[in-house]
Amino acid sequence: MFGTIAWLLKDQGVNILMNLFGGPVVNAARGISCQVTGAIQNLTNGFQSAVNPQLTKRYAAEDTYATCRLLCKSSKISYFLLFLIVLPVMLEINFVLDLWLVEVPPMSSLFTRIIIVESLFNTLGSPMITVLMATGNIRWYQIVVGTLLLFNIPIAYLLLKCGYPIVTPLVVSAIFILLGNAVRFLFCRKQLDL
């Protein structure tokens, strides 16, 4: 529950900060960028949904070598599958947004690119989350990663207060996703000898 609440507060905190410091136009640009990346992520989510039961099954069979091997393979495949889709989108995001929308809010293309990069980082961590949940030993994992994700909001707020650009919460969020993956890796290393 703590991990889910932390994730929710991280995302909604970014929305609130962007609305406070940028107004409704920035919020609209964020909403559009989230819709684009959500549509793109559906493909890798489908792949990951097919792999998750296998990860859990291999862990339950106490085959840590096979679990770690599948974890690494699924992370790589998910990442490259998403990368193959997002690379053309990132290169031609202005064309995609012009084709889709009558009036494109300013900064939509920049926000979309940053959120896509965050999605790429997040894709690497998804199999680790599945395996860590399969261990059942999740108390400290949830506390550490959830707390780390919550630091996103005050740090982004302070940076915005200091005059950093409105894109700062998105960049900080991507950095914290990357840090969360590093912490997940450390937990996988400790619990699975990854």
Side-chain angles (χ1 to χ4, degrees):
M1 189 169 96
F2 179 72
T4 304
I5 290 171
W7 192 267
L8 180 72
L9 288 175
K10 179 198 82 74
D11 281 344
Q12 294 308 313
V14 168
N15 289 341
I16 291 168
L17 288 176
M18 293 186 82
N19 196 25
L20 276 172
F21 286 90
V25 174
V26 169
N27 224 16
R30 164 117 166 112
I32 289 166
S33 61
C34 286
Q35 284 184 328
V36 171
T37 53
I40 291 169
Q41 277 185 312
N42 279 339
L43 180 65
T44 54
N45 290 345
F47 170 76
Q48 197 58 48
S49 294
V51 173
N52 286 346
Q54 291 298 316
L55 284 168
T56 304
K57 180 181 174 183
R58 290 181 188 190
Y59 178 79
E62 297 180 5
D63 189 353
T64 54
Y65 175 76
T67 304
C68 291
R69 195 164 167 241
L70 182 60
L71 186 152
C72 292
K73 277 186 179 179
S74 65
S75 288
K76 289 176 189 176
I77 292 170
S78 294
Y79 181 85
F80 286 117
L81 191 60
L82 185 60
F83 185 77
L84 284 173
I85 296 166
V86 301
L87 182 63
V89 172
M90 285 183 72
L91 293 174
E92 294 297 327
I93 191 61
N94 290 326
F95 173 75
V96 172
L97 291 174
D98 285 337
L99 189 66
W100 180 34
L101 301 168
V102 176
E103 187 178 328
V104 180
M107 302 181 88
S108 294
S109 59
L110 177 63
F111 290 179
T112 303
R113 285 184 178 115
I114 293 170
I115 293 174
I116 285 173
V117 169
E118 181 179 331
S119 296
L120 284 168
F121 294 158
N122 202 23
T123 299
L124 288 172
S126 194
M128 287 188 282
I129 294 169
T130 301
V131 171
L132 288 167
M133 294 298 168
T135 67
N137 186 13
I138 61 171
R139 178 189 305 168
W140 285 108
Y141 160 71
Q142 290 289 356
I143 290 171
V144 172
V145 174
T147 304
L148 178 70
L149 291 177
L150 287 175
F151 275 114
N152 176 43
I153 300 164
I155 290 174
Y157 177 79
L158 289 172
L159 291 172
L160 285 171
K161 269 299 217 194
C162 290
Y164 281 84
I166 194 64
V167 74
T168 302
L170 298 176
V171 174
V172 170
S173 180
I175 291 168
F176 274 95
I177 293 295
L178 198 56
L179 291 172
N181 283 344
V183 171
R184 286 182 190 103
F185 177 76
L186 293 174
F187 273 95
C188 283
R189 188 172 175 185
K190 181 182 177 191
Q191 294 181 14
L192 301 167
D193 202 28
L194 178 66

